[in-house]
Amino acid sequence: FEQIANAAGTALALTNLAILAIEQERATDGVDNASKAKSLLMASGNRMLLGLASVVLGEAHLAAGDTHLAAREFEWIAQAYTESN
């Protein structure tokens, strides 16, 4: 996906890798991959995938034991994704 400059595809692959890393107890890799995915999606306008990457990033922070960063991520999601938007 990177070779064809497909941000959504690259971000989705990174998000899936983040989920796998969390499941394999490699939380730091999960944080890295989810952070990269979120960064790609912030500029893309793809709010559905951005929401997914953000939730996975919050979960990765929790798996890494960083409750402060997890809370910040979930708070951002709650503010960015309301019923009205």
Side-chain angles (χ1 to χ4, degrees):
F1 293 109
E2 289 177 343
Q3 292 177 353
I4 61 171
N6 184 320
T10 300
L12 186 56
L14 287 167
T15 302
N16 285 332
L17 288 171
I19 293 167
L20 178 63
I22 294 166
E23 290 174 352
Q24 293 180 341
E25 299 181 5
R26 296 181 294 111
T28 303
D29 292 338
V31 170
D32 290 343
N33 285 323
S35 293
K36 289 176 188 174
K38 184 177 176 182
S39 292
L40 280 171
L41 292 164
M42 288 295 286
S44 77
N46 190 325
R47 291 187 44 80
M48 184 170 50
L49 288 181
L50 175 59
L52 173 63
S54 299
V55 168
V56 172
L57 179 55
E59 293 291 333
H61 284 308
L62 280 178
D66 195 333
T67 56
H68 175 72
L69 286 178
R72 270 188 25 195
E73 193 63 32
F74 293 132
E75 287 169 9
W76 180 85
I77 295 164
Q79 290 175 3
Y81 293 85
T82 63
E83 287 185 35
S84 63
N85 66 8

